[in-house]
């Protein structure tokens, strides 16, 4: 003898099914971002260890830390913000952010958004400058 469900219960999707639908709808993270997030998972170094943890994680995925700065006034809900340059499949590089939460206990990897658009523009100019520096130094020699 099978169990019967009321039409109300049968019509509602289970929470697990709803979570699976949410996961399926999210775009897949590039492998480098996934590796970076895994490298930073379990961080417990506080503000003092933030920069070194982010630098080490970026190097592990073939990227680099460009700079870090206080997040106050730049992006809400975070204490510090690091700007990273990481590979995006092949030879292309992309800018992402690593942000230290207000408690200094967790680092979140953030992709550029409307909230960080101004910082992304500044970073693009910074990267352009870095790429030109060796040319300028060679020309001066």
């Amino acid at each position: 003898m099978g169990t019967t469900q009321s039409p109300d219960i049968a019509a509602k999707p289970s929470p697990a099914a709803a979570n699976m639908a949410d996961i399926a709808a999210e775009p897949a993270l590039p492998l480098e971002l996934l590796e970076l997030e895994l490298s930073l998972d379990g961080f417990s170094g506080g503000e003092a260890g933030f920069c070194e943890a982010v630098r080490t994680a970026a190097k592990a995925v073939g990227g680099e830390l460009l700079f870090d700065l206080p997040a106050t006034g730049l992006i809400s809900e975070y204490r510090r913000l690091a700007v990273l340059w990481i590979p995006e499949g092949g030879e292309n590089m992309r800018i992402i952010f690593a942000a230290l939460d207000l408690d200094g206990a967790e680092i979140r990897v953030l992709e550029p958004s409307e909230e960080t658009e101004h910082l992304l523009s500044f970073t693009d100019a910074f990267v352009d400058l870095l790429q030109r520096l060796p040319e300028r130094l060679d020309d001066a020699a």
Side-chain angles (χ1 to χ4, degrees):
M1 179 183 245
T3 60
T4 57
Q5 293 180 332
S6 77
D8 289 339
I9 293 173
K12 292 181 183 176
S14 71
N19 286 341
M20 292 304 288
D22 288 344
I23 291 169
E26 290 179 13
L29 281 177
L31 183 59
E32 291 82 6
L33 281 180
L34 186 58
E35 286 181 50
L36 185 66
E37 284 203 356
L38 289 173
S39 295
L40 294 170
D41 193 36
F43 170 78
S44 61
E47 191 168 350
F50 171 70
C51 192
E52 191 55 38
V54 172
R55 178 179 284 114
T56 301
K59 281 185 181 182
V61 298
E64 63 184 279
L65 169 69
L66 295 176
F67 56 89
D68 83 298
L69 62 163
T72 307
L74 296 173
I75 184 169
S76 60
E77 301 178 24
Y78 295 101
R79 178 181 287 191
R80 293 207 63 84
L81 187 65
V83 180
L84 308 173
W85 205 20
I86 63 162
E88 182 180 45
E91 295 181 25
N92 295 332
M93 299 292 276
R94 70 188 270 184
I95 303 295
I96 61 157
F97 306 108
L100 181 65
D101 70 1
L102 291 174
D103 296 330
E106 183 181 348
I107 298 174
R108 305 260 338 245
V109 175
L110 307 172
E111 294 203 45
S113 67
E114 286 183 20
E115 186 177 18
T116 59
E117 188 174 331
H118 60 288
L119 188 56
L120 184 60
S121 296
F122 173 79
T123 302
D124 285 340
F126 180 81
V127 168
D128 186 48
L129 175 66
L130 286 178
Q131 290 174 334
R132 291 175 187 224
L133 279 177
E135 295 171 15
R136 297 278 185 192
L137 294 175
D138 289 342
D139 290 344

